[in-house]
Amino acid sequence: MRRLLPLLMLPAMLAACSRAPGEADSVAVIDRFHVALNAGDTTAIDGLLSQSTRNLRPGIGTARAFRAISARHGRYLDGRAASVTSADEHTSIDWQARYDRGPVSELFVLVNEAGAVKMDSYTDNAAP
């Protein structure tokens, strides 16, 4: 029986590793993202991104993409989660934000990566 115990625990351990991030941890990452965005701290933003997202725009491409957000919308003022959905390993949060230039709907997709919650995707759309 002692030999079987590690084999029985393996599926539970793997399931725990591939769980979607919790809402509180995800919102904390979104808050850190907005603080870094307002500060123009692209290094901090880069640290919040998943490896697959960083690979999409290596080097200066990531910094340029996030500077464009501030150029489009101005300074982030506040926001709240309008909806939270978890499926498989992802948590999606529809974030209703207010920027200097008006309301913006942001969609964050977050994942657990190496024991930390990371942004796997970000989309912004100015509200009509």
Side-chain angles (χ1 to χ4, degrees), residues 76-99:
Y76 174 80
L77 302 173
D78 62 23
R80 64 174 181 77
S83 69
V84 179
T85 308
S86 292
D88 300 321
E89 301 132 16
H90 297 90
T91 296
S92 298
I93 298 183
D94 177 17
W95 193 262
Q96 297 305 303
R98 267 188 338 114
Y99 282 79

Side-chain angles (χ1 to χ4, degrees), residues 37 57 60-70 72 122 124:
L37 185 66
R57 288 190 174 110
I60 193 84
T62 299
R64 191 175 303 129
F66 286 105
R67 276 192 214 110
I69 295 167
S70 295
R72 274 193 305 276
Y122 170 86
D124 64 315

Side-chain angles (χ1 to χ4, degrees), residues 21-39 44-45 47-49 66 69 76-85 91-99 104-111 116-123:
E23 183 176 350
D25 292 336
S26 297
V27 168
V29 169
I30 292 170
D31 288 342
R32 288 196 308 271
F33 166 76
H34 286 119
V35 167
L37 185 66
N38 278 347
I45 291 172
L48 296 172
L49 302 176
F66 286 105
I69 295 167
Y76 174 80
L77 302 173
D78 62 23
R80 64 174 181 77
S83 69
V84 179
T85 308
T91 296
S92 298
I93 298 183
D94 177 17
W95 193 262
Q96 297 305 303
R98 267 188 338 114
Y99 282 79
V104 176
S105 178
E106 298 175 309
L107 178 62
F108 293 88
V109 179
L110 301 112
V111 295
V117 177
K118 299 289 185 170
M119 291 172 42
D120 202 40
S121 174
Y122 170 86
T123 307

